[in-house]
């Protein structure tokens, strides 16, 4: 907080909004003394002296425009991302120097608005926090959307490339999935759950995370590794199902020209394709529920739930109605695709199955267990934790956390009061 107010006034306001703690006795002396400074003291310091401070001042009073630009430069030297709010003409240099300049729309000067990147039309600081929360939610959902689609693609690549090794008596490769099965899975099975993931609500800890590195974009290390791990598990499960059916009871009978026509010799291959088709469909659908949170278990998405539910799985998956019905309808659509005469043998190149359903159900349980185990490893060892901090762990005092909590509370109270007023009207 860089302000023109008196230091004592600035300190009282900073404590009220949560920028600095009310009791600084628990902090190290060097940190406690550097939290609040007068601009004259800060301006008298050299850049090297500022950089040597254990933490930059959280409050500077009696500021001049040059003080604000020096603070922004100091933040940049510490590789910090800086957003600046202001309304006056004297704020224009710092608004332009910051990574994101935010001007007040109602009381701000035209010079400040021109120098800023964003104009806050309602002059409500809580709107900034709400915008950050919504932006993080959208970013998370884009990652979930991409992860869901690419995981299924990795699984299909593994299944089809390895499947080139299955050759019939004529020496032609026998595909574990027919082209129209692949098209059905990609267009109908994957698309709607992915859209549903784009409608997910914000996770419970979304405003406690450290900011992610902007240079990484949506393809973070976690997304890339998750895509490979989950795609490998999915592809391996479907491949093993095909192998078990063909080389187990099927006695390695790959038939003749089973990629184009159905005959008695293709009975085993067509049954294996049906089982793989059903299994891959269900794995992709279940993965959508797993990807509702990239780190938390599907069976406990919100550890801070206050409704007392011992097993909140069903309530969690039903919250997103679009995703829920996309998964359920997609799972049910497998049965007519497998059993409708003509559609199965002539279009999808498979036939109805019996005991093979057990392999499809069993592989789904194996996939869920594998995903849950990988998530547990990420939580246990802190792999890919944002800012190196795992969920539920304590964080050091930071400039944003207290203010964000305060602003969210103000925003919630405001929304509730507006709702009450609308009800009365």
């Amino acid at each position: 907080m860089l302000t023109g107010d008196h230091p004592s006034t600035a300190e009282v306001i900073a404590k009220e909004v949560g920028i600095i703690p009310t009791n600084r006795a628990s902090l190290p002396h060097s940190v406690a003394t550097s939290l609040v400074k007068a601009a004259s003291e800060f301006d008298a310091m050299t850049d090297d002296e500022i950089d040597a401070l254990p933490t930059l001042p959280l409050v500077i009073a009696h500021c001049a425009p040059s003080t604000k630009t020096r603070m922004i430069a100091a933040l940049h030297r510490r590789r910090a991302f800086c957003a600046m709010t202001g309304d006056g003409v004297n704020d224009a240099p710092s608004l332009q120097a910051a990574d994101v300049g935010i001007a007040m729309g109602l009381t701000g000067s035209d010079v400040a608005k021109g120098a800023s990147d964003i104009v806050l039309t309602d002059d409500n600081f809580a709107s900034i926090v709400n915008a950050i929360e919504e932006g993080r939610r959208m970013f998370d959902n884009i990652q979930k959307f991409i992860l869901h689609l690419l995981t299924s693609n990795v699984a299909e690549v593994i299944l089809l490339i390895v499947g080139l090794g299955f050759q019939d008596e004529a020496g032609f490769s026998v595909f574990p999935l027919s082209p129209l099965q692949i098209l059905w899975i990609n267009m109908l099975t994957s698309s709607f759950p992915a859209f549903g993931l784009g409608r997910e609500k914000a996770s419970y800890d979304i405003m406690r995370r450290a900011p992610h590195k902007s240079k990484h974009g949506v393809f973070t290390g976690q997304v890339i590794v998750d895509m490979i791990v989950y795609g490998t598990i999915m592809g391996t499960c479907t491949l093993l199902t095909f192998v078990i059916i063909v080389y187990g009871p099927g006695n390695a009978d790959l038939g003749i020209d089973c990629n184009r026509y159905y005959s008695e010799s293709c009975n085993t291959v067509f049954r294996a394709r049906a089982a793989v088709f059903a299994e891959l469909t269900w794995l992709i659908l279940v993965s959508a529920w797993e990807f509702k949170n990239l780190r938390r278990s599907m069976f406990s998405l919100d550890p801070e739930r206050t409704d007392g539910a011992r097993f909140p799985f069903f309530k969690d998956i039903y919250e997103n109605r679009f995703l829920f019905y996309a998964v359920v309808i997609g799972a049910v659509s497998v049965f007519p695709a497998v059993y409708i005469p003509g559609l199965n043998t002539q279009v999808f190149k498979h036939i109805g199955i019996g005991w093979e359903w057990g392999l499809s159900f069993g592989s789904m349980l194996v996939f869920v267990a594998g995903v849950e185990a990988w998530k547990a490893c990420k939580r246990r060892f802190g792999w890919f934790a944002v800012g190196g901090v795992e969920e539920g762990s304590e964080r050091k005092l930071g400039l944003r956390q207290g203010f964000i909590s305060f602003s969210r509370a103000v925003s919630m109270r405001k929304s509730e009061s507006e709702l009450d007023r609308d009800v009365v009207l």
Side-chain angles (χ1 to χ4, degrees), residues 6 18 26 28 41 66 109 162 173 187 198 230 309 338 354:
H6 189 275
S26 59
E41 183 182 359
S66 59
S109 65
V162 177
S173 296
M187 295 297 294
Y230 300 149
V338 170

Side-chain angles (χ1 to χ4, degrees), residues 273-341:
R273 276 197 194 128
V276 169
F277 170 73
E279 178 181 325
L280 185 57
T281 298
W282 288 341
L283 295 187
I284 291 173
L285 294 172
V286 169
S287 70
W289 282 341
E290 283 284 4
F291 297 162
K292 284 168 72 73
N293 192 300
L294 302 188
R295 304 186 67 82
R296 296 291 309 177
S297 169
M298 175 176 66
F299 304 102
S300 179
L301 293 175
D302 185 358
E304 298 179 358
R305 180 181 294 276
T306 58
D307 58 7
R310 293 185 177 181
F311 191 69
F313 169 72
F314 296 105
K315 186 172 183 178
D316 286 338
I317 65 172
Y318 192 64
E319 279 183 337
N320 187 338
R321 304 290 177 84
F322 185 95
L323 178 59
F324 176 81
Y325 287 112
V327 172
V328 171
I329 294 173
V332 173
S333 69
V334 168
F335 297 99
V338 170
Y339 285 111
I340 293 178

Side-chain angles (χ1 to χ4, degrees), residues 11-181:
E11 183 173 353
V12 170
I13 295 174
K15 288 180 179 179
E16 183 178 348
V17 300
I19 293 178
I20 61 176
T22 55
N23 182 15
R24 288 186 275 172
S26 59
L27 299 176
H29 179 72
S30 58
V31 175
T33 56
S34 64
L35 292 181
V36 181
K37 286 186 178 295
S40 57
E41 183 182 359
F42 183 79
D43 292 338
M45 301 173 69
T46 64
D47 289 345
D48 292 336
E49 289 174 335
I50 294 174
D51 295 339
L53 292 173
T55 180
L56 289 175
L58 298 185
V59 178
I60 299 180
H62 281 167
C63 281
S66 59
T67 308
K68 300 176 183 180
T69 54
R70 287 199 71 195
M71 172 59 80
I72 294 172
L75 288 166
H76 285 161
R77 289 196 299 272
R78 297 191 180 209
R79 300 183 182 277
F81 190 89
C82 178
M84 170 73 186
T85 61
D87 57 359
V89 174
N90 61 341
D91 292 323
S94 53
L95 287 171
Q96 198 160 25
D99 297 292
V100 179
I102 305 171
M104 301 297 107
L106 298 178
T107 60
S109 65
D110 291 338
V111 175
K113 294 177 185 176
S116 64
D117 303 294
I118 298 172
V119 177
L120 197 61
T121 56
D122 60 359
D123 285 10
N124 185 357
F125 277 73
S127 298
I128 301 174
V129 182
N130 293 336
I132 293 172
E133 182 174 10
E134 180 63 15
R136 290 187 175 191
R137 186 191 70 86
M138 293 173 62
F139 182 85
D140 283 357
N141 289 351
I142 291 172
Q143 285 189 319
K144 297 170 187 175
F145 177 94
I146 292 174
L147 178 60
H148 182 262
L149 293 179
L150 294 185
T151 295
S152 62
N153 289 344
V154 170
E156 290 171 6
V157 167
I158 293 173
L159 177 63
L160 296 176
I161 288 181
V162 177
L164 294 175
F166 303 125
Q167 297 184 348
D168 60 17
E169 297 176 5
F172 292 103
S173 296
V174 178
F175 303 144
L177 285 175
S178 68
L180 282 176
Q181 283 178 323

Side-chain angles (χ1 to χ4, degrees), residues 265 383 395 412:
S265 65
W383 296 338
R395 298 260 286 273
M412 291 174 64

Side-chain angles (χ1 to χ4, degrees), residues 304-383:
E304 298 179 358
R305 180 181 294 276
T306 58
D307 58 7
R310 293 185 177 181
F311 191 69
F313 169 72
F314 296 105
K315 186 172 183 178
D316 286 338
I317 65 172
Y318 192 64
E319 279 183 337
N320 187 338
R321 304 290 177 84
F322 185 95
L323 178 59
F324 176 81
Y325 287 112
V327 172
V328 171
I329 294 173
V332 173
S333 69
V334 168
F335 297 99
V338 170
Y339 285 111
I340 293 178
L343 180 67
N344 53 7
T345 56
Q346 301 300 320
V347 177
F348 289 113
K349 302 295 186 289
H350 61 218
I351 58 174
I353 55 178
W355 65 269
E356 293 88 352
W357 286 112
L359 290 176
S360 299
F361 281 112
S363 296
M364 186 167 59
L365 298 178
V366 171
F367 176 75
V368 170
V371 174
E372 291 295 327
W374 175 247
K375 286 184 176 181
C377 289
K378 290 195 293 184
R379 295 192 302 269
R380 173 66 178 82
F381 300 106
W383 296 338

